[in-house]
Amino acid sequence: MARKTPLTVVALMVSGSLLLSGCTVTADVSDWWSETFGDASGPPEVKEEFPYVREGRIFQDTGQDTEMRFAVTGLERTDEYTVMYYEITYPGEFSGPNRNLSMAHTLVDPLTGRVYRQFLDEEGLKYGSESPNQDGLYPVHDGVTNEYVRYFPRLPDEVAQVTFVGSGLGAMTGIPVQDVEEERPAPDDPNGADHLTPDDPPPSGENLTFANRRPDEEAVADEGWVQSFVDSEIASTTRDGDREIISLHSDVMFEFDRSDLTAEAEDVVRRAATTLADNVDPDEPVITVIGHTDGVGEEAYNDNLSVKRAETVRDLLAEELGTDYTLEVEGRGEDEPIAREGGPDDDAARARNRRVEFSYVFDTTTEATEEEEYDDDGLGAAQRSATWPAPYSDDPGSVVAEGELEGVRLEVYPLRRDGAYVIGTVSLTNTTDEPTIPGLGGQEAVQAGAPEQFSKGTLGGFQLLEPESGLVRYVARMDFGEGRQSSFADEVHMLQPGNTYNLVAVFPAPPVDVEALTLRAGPFGEFEEIPVEY
């Protein structure tokens, strides 16, 4: 019934391990937890304190960006599904057909990086609370609460709490999962279809309810992984599901048009071998060495050059790793660029595309470490970190940095750890008298030579920099397979005059001893010493 992409099949095979973090929550994290909170016995107690409520302004397709109250009233795991119960109330004036412009409702396990979306039918309509006119729209009345039910794939038994995104009001962390024998009964007498026009509200104090449609044989639900990217001048690491790719930038490795390693490159490859020995899954000890070129030159020549470079690196790896690993070679020439060539940053883009990669299944039992042994040469990009899931909070904290761009004020809040990620929260305020969209999105937001897929979306161009190590953490993405991806960040739409909007962007987490990072906020500039909190 669920849409089973190849990534999903892997997910079912390895449920329960800390896939994105690549580790269990280790003694290092427990020591950090003990120093911070005085208790190293385990994760914080999961308390069920429904409802979990957020209030704020959301983007609507009509520009009626009104205040909304969103309350999760239950998240229950049955034998078949995960059932989410929530309520929405618009306290102020609101009229006509409107659509919330937030990302799709998504449940995220912040430890494994697995993501789950709602069950939909062939027409894209949601199961659960039915739209009275079968068009995806629901009646809304000022000050009246609408009750909704939605179905998600069944979460693995070991998942005790999740992060919810898609309300339009940021990431709601620490939502507990309740195990039940059967789901709640559907409304006995749903009244939503009886109050379709603004002049026919329900009686005072009465909520709107809707007929319930349980998933049937046509129901499909996206399941996937959070995909992350960490970069340095020497190397970068991409994680997607249980697969990890370490990319060594070829400008450090080879002279122009040559396939023999420089002296510096030999040292980098030997250090990379240590990283691989630590990270590769011993049950699948296969490392694929992949060569890539930029788009300059003949395709056949580039194909051959990419193979020769990969073979050179493979031979040195074999010396370092011995016979415990199977080393395979692929040359992909100019076929898989990660940065767009031909633009104003062509040199940087071509440099990014010239690379040698190590692709492998990583060992999910590898312990995270606070040591910085790889940071000097950029291989700290392969270091993984995870803490416990963040407890729920509706308070982003105090503003720690501010900036302004063409009448739009940016306020930055502390970064918040959530499992294998950190959640960045910012607010944007339109201080002018006219609707406006700040120049944050589109191709112009892509950093010079940056991987395009991690720079798309309005906040996709934001980055976190570790000043001491030089590592750069990009906004994460959600990968549902078959080329279906979305940024793990809110999009910015038209800002209405005088309105303030809270938005989030999610990044792979730094080591647990990192207490502050620099936020690169696109055209707003850089903001140093943004605290990392739990």
Side-chain angles (χ1 to χ4, degrees):
M1 184 176 296
R3 181 179 296 150
K4 303 299 184 187
T5 67
L7 291 178
T8 305
V9 174
V10 174
L12 296 175
M13 293 168 58
V14 293
S15 62
S17 56
L18 299 187
L19 292 180
L20 180 70
S21 65
C23 59
T24 55
V25 180
T26 67
D28 287 326
V29 176
S30 294
D31 291 344
W32 170 82
W33 183 270
S34 177
E35 292 173 3
T36 307
F37 298 101
D39 179 11
S41 61
E45 180 183 357
V46 179
K47 298 180 180 179
E48 297 179 0
E49 297 179 341
F50 291 95
Y52 293 87
V53 180
R54 278 286 177 85
E55 296 184 6
R57 193 172 301 277
I58 64 168
F59 291 108
Q60 298 281 1
D61 62 349
T62 62
Q64 294 189 80
D65 299 345
T66 185
E67 294 285 329
M68 183 184 75
R69 180 183 185 272
F70 186 96
V72 179
T73 58
L75 186 65
E76 299 181 351
R77 179 169 43 208
T78 71
D79 289 339
E80 297 179 275
Y81 309 108
T82 304
V83 189
M84 180 175 169
Y85 303 89
Y86 64 96
E87 298 177 349
I88 292 179
T89 309
Y90 295 97
E93 295 183 0
F94 195 68
S95 63
N98 295 263
R99 290 186 184 273
N100 186 334
L101 296 179
S102 65
M103 70 178 76
H105 286 188
T106 307
L107 302 179
V108 183
D109 179 354
L111 295 181
T112 67
R114 295 174 64 183
V115 292
Y116 309 82
R117 284 189 169 165
Q118 304 166 83
F119 279 99
L120 307 175
D121 64 19
E122 292 180 336
E123 297 180 356
L125 295 176
K126 303 169 186 176
Y127 286 88
S129 298
E130 287 193 279
S131 170
N133 291 330
Q134 303 298 312
D135 57 2
L137 296 175
Y138 297 81
V140 172
H141 297 275
D142 297 341
V144 175
T145 296
N146 286 18
E147 300 180 11
Y148 295 99
V149 180
R150 295 292 177 229
Y151 292 88
F152 294 80
R154 188 182 189 278
L155 294 169
D157 290 338
E158 62 273 13
V159 177
Q161 56 197 117
V162 296
T163 296
F164 171 73
V165 293
S167 68
L169 299 175
M172 301 175 70
T173 61
I175 306 297
V177 183
Q178 303 165 305
D179 286 299
V180 298
E181 294 185 1
E182 58 184 27
E183 63 190 73
R184 304 176 189 179
D188 290 331
D189 187 19
N191 62 352
D194 301 328
H195 303 282
L196 296 179
T197 61
D199 57 357
D200 185 21
S204 178
E206 184 175 316
N207 292 352
L208 281 187
T209 58
F210 305 92
N212 188 58
R213 180 174 62 137
R214 301 185 76 251
D216 54 29
E217 64 277 2
E218 297 180 352
V220 293
D222 282 332
E223 301 180 46
W225 301 95
V226 175
Q227 186 183 52
S228 67
F229 185 82
V230 182
D231 192 27
S232 76
E233 293 182 357
I234 304 297
S236 63
T237 299
T238 305
R239 301 190 187 101
D240 194 343
D242 68 341
R243 183 156 292 276
E244 185 164 82
I245 297 175
I246 296 179
S247 176
L248 302 182
H249 305 328
S250 285
D251 280 8
V252 181
M253 307 293 293
F254 307 95
E255 299 291 346
F256 178 75
D257 200 30
R258 295 181 65 94
S259 60
D260 54 319
L261 291 167
T262 65
E264 177 187 3
E266 287 191 13
D267 182 61
V268 171
V269 173
R270 294 184 194 281
R271 290 178 177 272
T274 302
T275 301
L276 293 168
D278 289 340
N279 290 353
V280 174
D281 187 344
D283 295 329
E284 288 193 59
V286 178
I287 302 170
T288 303
V289 184
I290 308 168
H292 300 267
T293 70
D294 59 28
V296 176
E298 295 293 330
E299 182 176 352
Y301 183 87
N302 284 336
D303 288 344
N304 185 53
L305 178 61
S306 67
V307 171
K308 288 183 176 179
R309 287 180 167 181
E311 288 175 341
T312 300
V313 173
R314 185 269 318 272
D315 293 344
L316 183 54
L317 272 185
E319 293 179 15
E320 294 296 307
L321 293 175
T323 59
D324 292 337
Y325 300 87
T326 299
L327 302 181
E328 300 178 346
V329 167
E330 294 183 12
R332 299 182 185 174
E334 61 190 68
D335 293 338
E336 296 182 1
I338 59 174
R340 185 188 296 269
E341 297 182 21
D345 301 315
D346 188 50
D347 288 345
R350 287 191 287 109
R352 170 70 68 176
N353 291 332
R354 296 188 294 265
R355 64 198 190 278
V356 174
E357 296 176 339
F358 308 117
S359 176
Y360 54 90
V361 175
F362 66 77
D363 183 2
T364 59
T365 65
T366 298
E367 293 190 349
T369 175
E370 294 184 18
E371 297 179 2
E372 304 294 334
E373 58 183 306
Y374 300 126
D375 284 353
D376 289 342
D377 58 18
L379 292 174
Q383 187 173 334
R384 293 188 288 271
S385 304
T387 58
W388 308 115
Y392 179 77
S393 175
D394 61 358
D395 181 8
S398 300
V399 174
V400 294
E402 294 185 59
E404 187 157 342
L405 174 69
E406 298 177 353
V408 176
R409 184 173 68 249
L410 171 75
E411 295 180 318
V412 181
Y413 295 87
L415 298 160
R416 191 168 184 230
R417 291 187 180 275
D418 183 29
Y421 312 97
V422 288
I423 299 173
T425 300
V426 301
S427 67
L428 296 176
T429 302
N430 180 359
T431 64
T432 74
D433 296 328
E434 298 292 334
T436 186
I437 297 180
L440 294 175
Q443 184 62 30
E444 64 273 12
V446 178
Q447 300 288 325
E452 188 172 352
Q453 70 187 97
F454 287 96
S455 300
K456 292 180 177 178
T458 308
L459 293 181
F462 282 27
Q463 301 171 358
L464 296 178
L465 167 68
E466 293 180 37
E468 292 187 7
S469 68
L471 296 181
V472 179
R473 299 175 185 276
Y474 285 67
V475 173
R477 296 184 62 78
M478 290 181 280
D479 186 350
F480 297 99
E482 301 174 354
R484 295 176 296 113
Q485 296 185 343
S486 62
S487 179
F488 203 168
D490 288 319
E491 289 192 28
V492 179
H493 301 279
M494 188 71 73
L495 308 180
Q496 299 302 318
N499 285 355
T500 296
Y501 305 81
N502 289 329
L503 305 135
V504 299
V506 178
F507 305 83
V512 295
D513 62 339
V514 174
E515 298 180 349
L517 295 168
T518 296
L519 172 65
R520 292 176 171 173
F524 283 99
E526 293 192 358
F527 301 92
E528 299 178 353
E529 295 294 320
I530 305 301
V532 182
E533 300 179 349
Y534 190 85

